[in-house]
């Protein structure tokens, strides 16, 4: 059973930075069996996939965060990170990490930002950006 636990959210002013962490248990990144992603959901809006990372480290970002956010995973402690820089008020949302085991036919370089592909989710961490 895979469990995910996010941390690192908080309140910052526009232009500031935060680093979110997603500690995983029940999986080992070195095994390259999972791809991971970060999502966010603001009140009254749909959940948005903002960044994903494949089993081999390949990354993909939504246009809304490209160049400002960085996703990476630490194989030493099986923790997924999302570095948030140059934050804007419109980045205010609950942020979630998600994990999905690769099928035998899914390439190690594949990842997805579609929420329908993910079965395992964390509980979320709130990010609030003030102007």
């Amino acid at each position: 059973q895979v469990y995910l636990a996010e941390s690192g959210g908080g309140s910052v002013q526009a232009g500031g930075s935060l680093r979110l962490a997603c500690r995983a248990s029940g999986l080992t990144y070195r095994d390259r069996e999972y791809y991971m992603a970060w999502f966010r959901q603001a009140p009254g809006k749909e959940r948005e996939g903002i960044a994903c990372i494949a089993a081999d480290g390949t990354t993909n970002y939504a246009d809304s965060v490209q160049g400002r956010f960085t996703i990476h995973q630490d194989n030493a402690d099986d923790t997924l990170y999302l570095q948030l820089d140059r934050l804007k008020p419109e980045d205010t949302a609950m942020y979630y990490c998600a994990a999905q085991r690769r099928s035998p036919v899914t390439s190690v370089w594949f990842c997805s930002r579609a929420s329908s592909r993910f079965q395992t989710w964390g509980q979320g961490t709130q990010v609030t950006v003030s102007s």
Side-chain angles (χ1 to χ4, degrees):
Q1 188 79 14
V2 176
Y3 294 97
L4 304 174
E6 301 96 334
S7 61
S11 297
V12 295
Q13 289 190 326
S17 298
L18 284 172
R19 188 178 75 160
L20 307 183
C22 172
R23 184 69 185 267
S25 61
L27 66 85
T28 301
Y29 291 150
R30 282 190 299 273
D31 292 342
R32 308 215 306 179
E33 293 180 340
Y34 286 81
Y35 56 89
M36 312 285 292
W38 284 97
F39 294 80
R40 67 185 180 186
Q41 188 166 19
K45 295 189 176 181
E46 292 187 356
R47 186 167 294 189
E48 177 189 15
I50 56 174
C52 69
I53 185 165
D56 72 346
T58 301
T59 59
N60 183 271
Y61 296 90
D63 290 344
S64 58
V65 305
Q66 179 76 48
R68 299 188 299 121
F69 293 5
T70 304
I71 186 173
H72 76 276
Q73 58 190 33
D74 187 334
N75 290 347
D77 61 4
D78 292 325
T79 300
L80 179 72
Y81 294 97
L82 185 69
Q83 178 68 37
L84 290 67
D85 295 318
R86 291 185 284 143
L87 282 160
K88 305 175 181 180
E90 51 264 44
D91 294 319
T92 295
M94 185 71 80
Y95 284 69
Y96 301 88
C97 63
Q100 182 59 39
R101 190 182 185 97
R102 291 191 303 116
S103 74
V105 298
T106 301
S107 299
V108 293
W109 48 258
F110 175 84
C111 73
S112 174
R113 292 185 285 108
S115 60
S116 60
R117 286 188 172 270
F118 290 85
Q119 293 182 312
T120 302
W121 295 81
Q123 82 288 352
T125 186
Q126 177 69 37
V127 172
T128 303
V129 185
S130 58
S131 58

